[in-house]
Amino acid sequence: MSISYTWEIMAVFTKNVTESGTTYNNGVGRVLGNITCTSDATGEDTEHGFDLDLRNPTDWSSFTAYDDLTKTNVIDFVETRMGSDITDIKERMAQTVAYQDSIADLSEQSSLPWV
């Protein structure tokens, strides 16, 4: 079974952070979004929403200014923050889609044979 994941970032919340005398304007502090797992074979899908509080980085040398953010940057932040949890979430989503695929071609019978 081939599956794909689609990310939707719905909102990004920012805050100014001063660290070691340097102020970083509009640092991403919270992200709202969804991950959708879709079967490429049948189109069956499942969705997982998230509301994630991002911690301040331990290394500010990689700080990305808000105006320079890309969707890929934000997804990377989310995946890094979620760590192994994102792997578990994706695995559960893939299992759900696999189950949906397995029952997609079942037909409901309009009458029961014993009635």
Side-chain angles (χ1 to χ4, degrees):
M1 174 183 76
S2 179
I3 59 171
S4 57
Y5 295 94
T6 306
W7 290 76
E8 177 186 14
I9 305 300
M10 298 180 309
V12 174
F13 298 86
T14 63
K15 62 182 177 180
N16 295 339
V17 177
T18 301
E19 182 70 30
S20 301
T22 301
T23 299
Y24 300 91
N25 293 314
N26 295 319
V28 175
R30 182 176 166 210
V31 178
L32 297 175
N34 288 310
I35 306 168
T36 302
C37 176
T38 305
S39 166
D40 296 334
T42 64
E44 296 290 336
D45 65 9
T46 188
E47 190 173 280
H48 179 84
F50 59 89
D51 179 351
L52 189 63
D53 180 25
L54 298 174
R55 297 182 189 129
N56 290 340
T58 54
D59 177 12
W60 285 91
S61 66
S62 62
F63 176 77
T64 303
Y66 183 80
D67 290 339
D68 295 330
L69 285 177
T70 65
K71 183 177 179 181
T72 300
N73 293 128
V74 175
I75 292 168
D76 287 346
F77 297 154
V78 169
E79 287 188 307
T80 298
R81 171 68 173 85
M82 292 179 81
S84 63
D85 289 343
I86 191 65
T87 303
D88 295 340
I89 289 166
K90 286 181 174 181
E91 183 177 312
R92 285 193 308 272
M93 293 173 77
Q95 289 170 353
T96 299
V97 168
Y99 173 73
Q100 291 171 332
D101 275 355
S102 73
I103 64 170
D105 61 351
L106 295 177
S107 299
E108 180 182 359
Q109 296 298 316
S110 59
S111 63
L112 298 173
W114 58 86
V115 177

